[in-house]
Amino acid sequence: MNKPARVAVTGAAGQISYSLLFRIASGQLLGKDQPVILSLLEVNVEAALRALDGVVMELADCAFPLLVGVEKHTDAQACFDAVDYAFLVGARPRKAGMERKDLLEANAQIFSVQGKALDAAASRSVKVVVVGNPANTNCMIAQRNAPSLAPECFSAMTRLDHNRAAAQLAARAGAEVKDIANIIIWGNHSSTQFPDLAHATVSGRPALDLIDSDWYEVEMIPAVQQRGAAIISARGSSSAASAASAAIDHMHDWIFGTAADRYVSMAVVSQGEYEIEKGLVYSYPCTCQDGKYQVVERLKTSDFARTKMKETEDELKQERDGVASLLP
Ligand code: NAD
Ligand code: LMR
C-alpha cells in the first residue's frame, strides 16, 4: 500500500462536503490503492462542530478500507499541515436573487486566512481547488497570500459549468455525454462566463455542424450561465452533489491527466494567455499530464468569442479591484 495521502476539505459539515467526503474516502478521487487521511476544517461554532461530529460518525460507519484517518480542525494552519490536496469549499452560499460576487464581502477574508495557512503548512506541491464562491476571486486571494507556493498550485472550479454544458449539448445532439469533447468555459464562474462550443465535438464531428446557432446563442449559453440560479430556485439551496462530483472530476484529472486530445475547463492563474490580464484567475481550456495542467493555447477565437471572453475578464477585474486590500 502507498503512503496515505493527506486531503484537506474546508466547510466539512456543509452540503457539498456531505457528498464530497464520502467520494474521496471511497477511493473515487485517488483510486483503489491509495489510502487517505481526511483533514477537515470547520468554523468554531457549536452547531457546525456538532454537525461535523455527525459526519465523522457516518464516515466511520461506512468502514471505508482506504480511509486511514480523519482529523477535525478549527484552525486552518493545523488543517493544512502537509496536505497534498486541498478542497476549499467552506464559504457562504448565495440565496435566490443574489449574484455570486455578492458573496465577496462575506467570503473573501476566509481565503486570505486560508492562503496564508496553506503557505505556512501545506506540501510544497499541494494542489488546491477553490469551490467557495465567488470561486475565481477567492482563489486569487488565496494564491496571492501564499507567496512561497507556486501559482500553479492553485485553481478554481469551473468544471461544474463544463459538465453542465456537456450534458446540455449531449441532450440537444441526441448523443451521450461520453461522446462530447472539448467544450470550453472561459472566464469567471458567474453569469458572465462564456460556454464556448466552437471547438467542441460530438463523436468527433464539430458540434456547431449538428446544432442550430440559435439554440446555442439564445438558449444554451444563458442556460449554462444561469444554471446555478435555476438549481437554487428549484431546490431552495445551491447545487451540492453535482458540485462535489465536479470537484472530484477537476482534481482527478489534474492528478491523473486528461484523455488524449480532450481538454477540460479549469480556472487558473493567467499568464496572459489569450491576452487576458496576468494574475487573474481565469477559466481556460486545459490539458493535464504528470500532475500539471497546461493551458491550451493558440485556439482560433471569433469576434463573438473575443467579445464574450473580454466581458467576463472585465468582471474579474472589477472583483479584483473590490478586494485590493486582501491582495498583498
Ligand atoms: P453550506 O453552507 O452548506 O456549507 C458551508 C460550510 O462552510 C458550513 O458548514 C460553514 O460552517 C463552513 N464554513 C464557513 N466558513 C468557514 C471557514 N472559514 N472555514 C471552514 N469552514 C467554513 O454551503 P455549500 O452548499 O457546501 O457551498 C459552499 C460554497 O461552495 C458556497 O460558497 C457555494 O456558493 C459554493 N459553490 C461553488 C460551486 C462552484 O461550481 N464553484 C458550486 C456549488 C457551490
Ligand atoms: C453553482 O453554480 O451551482 C454554484 O456556484 C452555486 C451558485 O450560487 O450558483
Side-chain angles (χ1 to χ4, degrees):
M1 269 290 187
N2 300 325
K3 179 171 168 261
R6 290 182 59 79
V7 184
V9 179
T10 73
Q15 292 224 53
I16 294 175
S17 293
Y18 195 64
S19 173
L20 180 62
L21 294 175
F22 297 84
R23 296 190 59 173
I24 297 170
S26 69
Q28 290 179 50
L29 175 67
L30 296 169
K32 294 288 177 197
D33 295 322
Q34 180 57 62
V36 171
I37 296 170
L38 284 173
S39 185
L40 308 179
L41 186 68
E42 255 302 336
V43 288
N44 198 359
V45 169
E46 199 188 334
L49 295 177
R50 286 277 299 141
L52 183 60
D53 285 342
V55 172
V56 172
M57 284 188 245
E58 285 204 71
L59 282 166
D61 293 350
C62 290
F64 289 122
L66 292 168
L67 186 61
V68 297
V70 181
E71 300 171 11
K72 292 182 280 184
H73 297 281
T74 54
D75 176 72
Q77 196 167 317
C79 174
F80 296 146
D81 184 36
V83 293
D84 304 294
Y85 310 104
F87 292 82
L88 305 191
V89 180
R92 198 177 292 174
R94 67 176 163 152
K95 302 259 184 285
M98 291 170 77
E99 287 293 333
R100 296 179 187 93
K101 62 186 167 197
D102 299 334
L103 294 167
L104 251 187
E105 201 180 322
N107 289 341
Q109 190 68 41
I110 296 173
F111 294 86
S112 159
V113 172
Q114 292 183 0
K116 290 184 177 75
L118 285 162
D119 198 51
S123 154
R124 297 301 85 184
S125 56
V126 65
K127 289 180 167 52
V128 179
V129 60
V130 175
V131 175
N133 277 320
N136 299 52
T137 298
N138 288 338
C139 179
M140 182 169 63
I141 295 168
Q143 184 265 318
R144 291 277 288 273
N145 281 278
S148 72
L149 292 171
E152 292 76 20
C153 292
F154 288 85
S155 65
M157 188 170 95
T158 49
R159 184 60 175 267
L160 180 54
D161 311 291
H162 182 105
N163 289 348
R164 288 166 171 166
Q168 294 197 19
L169 174 58
R172 182 70 179 188
E176 292 178 33
V177 170
K178 69 174 174 42
D179 300 326
I180 307 292
N182 298 351
I183 277 169
I184 304 169
I185 303 295
W186 299 98
N188 200 1
H189 173 63
S190 76
S191 52
T192 66
Q193 66 177 269
F194 172 40
D196 184 3
L197 297 188
H199 306 276
T201 56
V202 181
S203 303
R205 295 179 60 195
L208 293 182
D209 290 354
L210 300 173
I211 52 159
D212 52 294
S213 58
D214 224 40
W215 174 79
Y216 169 43
E217 288 174 25
V218 180
E219 285 186 46
M220 186 248 176
I221 291 177
V224 175
Q225 290 172 329
Q226 297 296 340
R227 184 69 162 185
I231 287 167
I232 292 170
S233 159
R235 237 171 68 81
S237 55
S238 60
S239 63
S242 57
S245 191
I248 296 272
D249 289 346
H250 174 114
M251 194 66 100
H252 180 277
D253 287 352
W254 193 0
I255 298 166
F256 293 105
T258 44
D261 299 327
R262 287 208 171 203
Y263 29 93
V264 291
S265 303
M266 296 172 71
V268 298
V269 179
S270 170
Q271 303 300 330
E273 299 93 340
Y274 296 92
E275 295 175 22
I276 300 303
E277 189 169 313
K278 277 188 185 177
L280 293 175
V281 173
Y282 191 92
S283 180
Y284 285 112
C286 291
T287 54
C288 303
Q289 208 180 359
D290 302 327
K292 293 185 168 36
Y293 69 78
Q294 188 138 36
V295 173
V296 179
E297 292 199 69
R298 286 180 282 282
L299 291 172
K300 278 200 179 137
T301 50
S302 64
D303 289 348
F304 173 73
R306 278 193 298 277
T307 304
K308 298 245 169 245
M309 288 159 70
K310 177 92 182 63
E311 200 177 302
T312 189
E313 179 193 16
D314 286 345
E315 184 184 44
L316 282 168
K317 287 183 187 168
Q318 281 169 21
E319 289 184 19
R320 176 205 52 202
D321 294 347
V323 295
S325 64
L326 296 174
L327 299 174

